Amino acid sequence: MAAARGPPVAYAKLQGEDFVYYVTTLSVTLGRRINEEDEVDVDLGSGRTISRIHARIDFDFAIRHFVLSVLGKNGLHVNGVLYPQGHQPLVLETQTAIQVGDVCFYFLLPMGSTSTAIQPQPEPPTLHLK
């Protein structure tokens, strides 16, 4: 008899058309993995408009929000607005739409939470996302 699996334990979720990534750490890198030495948490594919390290999502303890840093030379879109490389970190709310190259996905927080209420603990909260 197989053990019942509960919902994943994560701080947040990145939901794209072709992928799901559960954010289980307070810092996540997004980009293009060309070889095994490329240290990227979320491989967004081989598109040439995606840098090896294109963006980073971090939890900012000072403001108690997740923030997105734009590191790739082609920038990225957040909620339809283009932000260039080096732009100040962008505060992420649940259901924030992000586009890197041709890859579109959403940043999602656990249901019932708001980013201002998130208090990172030693273990991330359980997600209840559909």
Side-chain angles (χ1 to χ4, degrees):
M1 180 176 196
R5 291 181 19 184
V9 177
Y11 294 114
K13 174 178 158 178
L14 304 178
Q15 175 74 58
E17 186 175 321
D18 299 328
F19 75 94
V20 172
Y21 180 85
Y22 292 98
V23 178
T24 59
T25 62
L26 298 177
S27 183
V28 174
T29 57
L30 300 92
R32 175 170 51 107
R33 181 173 288 127
I34 295 176
N35 54 52
E36 292 301 317
E37 290 81 43
D38 291 334
E39 294 185 21
V40 60
D41 298 307
V42 182
D43 184 0
L44 297 175
S46 60
R48 301 294 288 164
T49 59
I50 301 171
S51 299
R52 288 184 182 190
I53 303 294
H54 201 99
R56 190 177 63 244
I57 296 173
D58 296 298
F59 188 81
D60 185 327
F61 285 91
I63 62 172
R64 297 174 23 176
H65 282 271
F66 279 98
V67 295
L68 176 68
S69 298
V70 185
L71 307 173
K73 67 179 180 178
N74 293 316
L76 53 76
H77 290 82
V78 173
N79 293 329
V81 177
L82 175 63
Y83 293 94
Q85 179 183 36
H87 190 277
Q88 70 183 30
L90 303 158
V91 174
L92 295 173
E93 299 289 343
T94 195
Q95 299 182 6
T96 298
I98 303 168
Q99 181 177 347
V100 179
D102 292 334
V103 180
C104 301
F105 56 96
Y106 289 95
F107 174 83
L108 302 168
L109 293 169
M111 287 176 44
S113 70
T114 64
S115 56
T116 56
I118 296 256
Q119 294 284 336
Q121 302 296 318
E123 294 295 319
T126 300
L127 289 181
H128 299 285
L129 301 170
K130 296 177 182 172

PDB file of all heavy atoms in Angstrom, residues 10-23:
ATOM      1  N   ALA A  10       6.341  24.252   0.193  1.00  0.00           N
ATOM      2  CA  ALA A  10       7.111  25.276  -0.516  1.00  0.00           C
ATOM      3  C   ALA A  10       6.665  26.662  -0.077  1.00  0.00           C
ATOM      4  O   ALA A  10       5.566  26.846   0.429  1.00  0.00           O
ATOM      5  CB  ALA A  10       6.919  25.130  -2.028  1.00  0.00           C
ATOM      6  N   TYR A  11       7.554  27.646  -0.290  1.00  0.00           N
ATOM      7  CA  TYR A  11       7.212  29.042  -0.021  1.00  0.00           C
ATOM      8  C   TYR A  11       6.312  29.612  -1.109  1.00  0.00           C
ATOM      9  O   TYR A  11       5.472  30.457  -0.865  1.00  0.00           O
ATOM     10  CB  TYR A  11       8.471  29.906   0.050  1.00  0.00           C
ATOM     11  CG  TYR A  11       9.371  29.590   1.212  1.00  0.00           C
ATOM     12  CD1 TYR A  11      10.632  29.057   0.994  1.00  0.00           C
ATOM     13  CD2 TYR A  11       8.966  29.833   2.517  1.00  0.00           C
ATOM     14  CE1 TYR A  11      11.475  28.781   2.059  1.00  0.00           C
ATOM     15  CE2 TYR A  11       9.798  29.550   3.586  1.00  0.00           C
ATOM     16  CZ  TYR A  11      11.051  29.025   3.342  1.00  0.00           C
ATOM     17  OH  TYR A  11      11.876  28.747   4.397  1.00  0.00           O
ATOM     18  N   ALA A  12       6.546  29.166  -2.347  1.00  0.00           N
ATOM     19  CA  ALA A  12       5.822  29.703  -3.503  1.00  0.00           C
ATOM     20  C   ALA A  12       5.941  28.700  -4.644  1.00  0.00           C
ATOM     21  O   ALA A  12       6.613  27.668  -4.513  1.00  0.00           O
ATOM     22  CB  ALA A  12       6.393  31.060  -3.918  1.00  0.00           C
ATOM     23  N   LYS A  13       5.299  29.029  -5.751  1.00  0.00           N
ATOM     24  CA  LYS A  13       5.292  28.148  -6.916  1.00  0.00           C
ATOM     25  C   LYS A  13       5.436  29.001  -8.162  1.00  0.00           C
ATOM     26  O   LYS A  13       4.844  30.072  -8.269  1.00  0.00           O
ATOM     27  CB  LYS A  13       3.965  27.384  -6.937  1.00  0.00           C
ATOM     28  CG  LYS A  13       3.704  26.520  -8.125  1.00  0.00           C
ATOM     29  CD  LYS A  13       2.360  25.810  -7.919  1.00  0.00           C
ATOM     30  CE  LYS A  13       1.730  25.348  -9.173  1.00  0.00           C
ATOM     31  NZ  LYS A  13       0.473  24.630  -8.938  1.00  0.00           N
ATOM     32  N   LEU A  14       6.238  28.514  -9.108  1.00  0.00           N
ATOM     33  CA  LEU A  14       6.316  29.109 -10.438  1.00  0.00           C
ATOM     34  C   LEU A  14       5.562  28.174 -11.361  1.00  0.00           C
ATOM     35  O   LEU A  14       5.907  26.998 -11.475  1.00  0.00           O
ATOM     36  CB  LEU A  14       7.772  29.265 -10.890  1.00  0.00           C
ATOM     37  CG  LEU A  14       8.681  30.056  -9.964  1.00  0.00           C
ATOM     38  CD1 LEU A  14      10.104  30.098 -10.518  1.00  0.00           C
ATOM     39  CD2 LEU A  14       8.152  31.460  -9.723  1.00  0.00           C
ATOM     40  N   GLN A  15       4.508  28.669 -11.988  1.00  0.00           N
ATOM     41  CA  GLN A  15       3.629  27.832 -12.820  1.00  0.00           C
ATOM     42  C   GLN A  15       3.663  28.330 -14.249  1.00  0.00           C
ATOM     43  O   GLN A  15       3.223  29.447 -14.540  1.00  0.00           O
ATOM     44  CB  GLN A  15       2.193  27.906 -12.291  1.00  0.00           C
ATOM     45  CG  GLN A  15       1.167  27.178 -13.154  1.00  0.00           C
ATOM     46  CD  GLN A  15       1.278  25.676 -12.991  1.00  0.00           C
ATOM     47  OE1 GLN A  15       1.161  25.164 -11.887  1.00  0.00           O
ATOM     48  NE2 GLN A  15       1.495  24.968 -14.079  1.00  0.00           N
ATOM     49  N   GLY A  16       4.219  27.513 -15.148  1.00  0.00           N
ATOM     50  CA  GLY A  16       4.245  27.828 -16.565  1.00  0.00           C
ATOM     51  C   GLY A  16       3.403  26.844 -17.336  1.00  0.00           C
ATOM     52  O   GLY A  16       2.850  25.901 -16.767  1.00  0.00           O
ATOM     53  N   GLU A  17       3.318  27.053 -18.646  1.00  0.00           N
ATOM     54  CA  GLU A  17       2.543  26.143 -19.476  1.00  0.00           C
ATOM     55  C   GLU A  17       3.151  24.745 -19.477  1.00  0.00           C
ATOM     56  O   GLU A  17       2.431  23.751 -19.453  1.00  0.00           O
ATOM     57  CB  GLU A  17       2.484  26.680 -20.907  1.00  0.00           C
ATOM     58  CG  GLU A  17       1.588  25.876 -21.818  1.00  0.00           C
ATOM     59  CD  GLU A  17       1.458  26.497 -23.189  1.00  0.00           C
ATOM     60  OE1 GLU A  17       1.370  27.736 -23.277  1.00  0.00           O
ATOM     61  OE2 GLU A  17       1.444  25.736 -24.167  1.00  0.00           O
ATOM     62  N   ASP A  18       4.491  24.680 -19.481  1.00  0.00           N
ATOM     63  CA  ASP A  18       5.178  23.390 -19.595  1.00  0.00           C
ATOM     64  C   ASP A  18       5.957  22.991 -18.344  1.00  0.00           C
ATOM     65  O   ASP A  18       6.708  22.022 -18.374  1.00  0.00           O
ATOM     66  CB  ASP A  18       6.141  23.416 -20.782  1.00  0.00           C
ATOM     67  CG  ASP A  18       5.430  23.653 -22.100  1.00  0.00           C
ATOM     68  OD1 ASP A  18       4.268  23.212 -22.230  1.00  0.00           O
ATOM     69  OD2 ASP A  18       6.031  24.277 -22.983  1.00  0.00           O
ATOM     70  N   PHE A  19       5.853  23.753 -17.262  1.00  0.00           N
ATOM     71  CA  PHE A  19       6.625  23.402 -16.074  1.00  0.00           C
ATOM     72  C   PHE A  19       5.969  23.946 -14.808  1.00  0.00           C
ATOM     73  O   PHE A  19       5.182  24.876 -14.842  1.00  0.00           O
ATOM     74  CB  PHE A  19       8.071  23.932 -16.172  1.00  0.00           C
ATOM     75  CG  PHE A  19       8.204  25.408 -15.953  1.00  0.00           C
ATOM     76  CD1 PHE A  19       8.494  25.916 -14.691  1.00  0.00           C
ATOM     77  CD2 PHE A  19       8.039  26.314 -16.997  1.00  0.00           C
ATOM     78  CE1 PHE A  19       8.620  27.278 -14.481  1.00  0.00           C
ATOM     79  CE2 PHE A  19       8.166  27.676 -16.797  1.00  0.00           C
ATOM     80  CZ  PHE A  19       8.460  28.163 -15.534  1.00  0.00           C
ATOM     81  N   VAL A  20       6.348  23.318 -13.712  1.00  0.00           N
ATOM     82  CA  VAL A  20       5.992  23.768 -12.366  1.00  0.00           C
ATOM     83  C   VAL A  20       7.272  23.676 -11.548  1.00  0.00           C
ATOM     84  O   VAL A  20       7.983  22.673 -11.601  1.00  0.00           O
ATOM     85  CB  VAL A  20       4.905  22.881 -11.729  1.00  0.00           C
ATOM     86  CG1 VAL A  20       4.689  23.248 -10.270  1.00  0.00           C
ATOM     87  CG2 VAL A  20       3.614  22.968 -12.503  1.00  0.00           C
ATOM     88  N   TYR A  21       7.573  24.738 -10.813  1.00  0.00           N
ATOM     89  CA  TYR A  21       8.743  24.726  -9.939  1.00  0.00           C
ATOM     90  C   TYR A  21       8.289  25.214  -8.571  1.00  0.00           C
ATOM     91  O   TYR A  21       7.716  26.302  -8.444  1.00  0.00           O
ATOM     92  CB  TYR A  21       9.849  25.646 -10.481  1.00  0.00           C
ATOM     93  CG  TYR A  21      11.071  25.658  -9.606  1.00  0.00           C
ATOM     94  CD1 TYR A  21      12.055  24.680  -9.738  1.00  0.00           C
ATOM     95  CD2 TYR A  21      11.243  26.626  -8.620  1.00  0.00           C
ATOM     96  CE1 TYR A  21      13.176  24.669  -8.927  1.00  0.00           C
ATOM     97  CE2 TYR A  21      12.358  26.626  -7.796  1.00  0.00           C
ATOM     98  CZ  TYR A  21      13.321  25.644  -7.957  1.00  0.00           C
ATOM     99  OH  TYR A  21      14.421  25.638  -7.141  1.00  0.00           O
ATOM    100  N   TYR A  22       8.548  24.410  -7.542  1.00  0.00           N
ATOM    101  CA  TYR A  22       8.198  24.787  -6.178  1.00  0.00           C
ATOM    102  C   TYR A  22       9.398  25.477  -5.529  1.00  0.00           C
ATOM    103  O   TYR A  22      10.494  24.915  -5.499  1.00  0.00           O
ATOM    104  CB  TYR A  22       7.765  23.558  -5.373  1.00  0.00           C
ATOM    105  CG  TYR A  22       6.453  23.004  -5.867  1.00  0.00           C
ATOM    106  CD1 TYR A  22       6.407  21.922  -6.743  1.00  0.00           C
ATOM    107  CD2 TYR A  22       5.248  23.595  -5.481  1.00  0.00           C
ATOM    108  CE1 TYR A  22       5.195  21.439  -7.208  1.00  0.00           C
ATOM    109  CE2 TYR A  22       4.042  23.115  -5.947  1.00  0.00           C
ATOM    110  CZ  TYR A  22       4.023  22.038  -6.814  1.00  0.00           C
ATOM    111  OH  TYR A  22       2.826  21.564  -7.285  1.00  0.00           O
ATOM    112  N   VAL A  23       9.180  26.668  -5.037  1.00  0.00           N
ATOM    113  CA  VAL A  23      10.230  27.463  -4.402  1.00  0.00           C
ATOM    114  C   VAL A  23      10.373  26.979  -2.963  1.00  0.00           C
ATOM    115  O   VAL A  23       9.529  27.270  -2.126  1.00  0.00           O
ATOM    116  CB  VAL A  23       9.895  28.977  -4.456  1.00  0.00           C
ATOM    117  CG1 VAL A  23      10.965  29.790  -3.747  1.00  0.00           C
ATOM    118  CG2 VAL A  23       9.716  29.431  -5.900  1.00  0.00           C
TER     119      VAL A  23
END
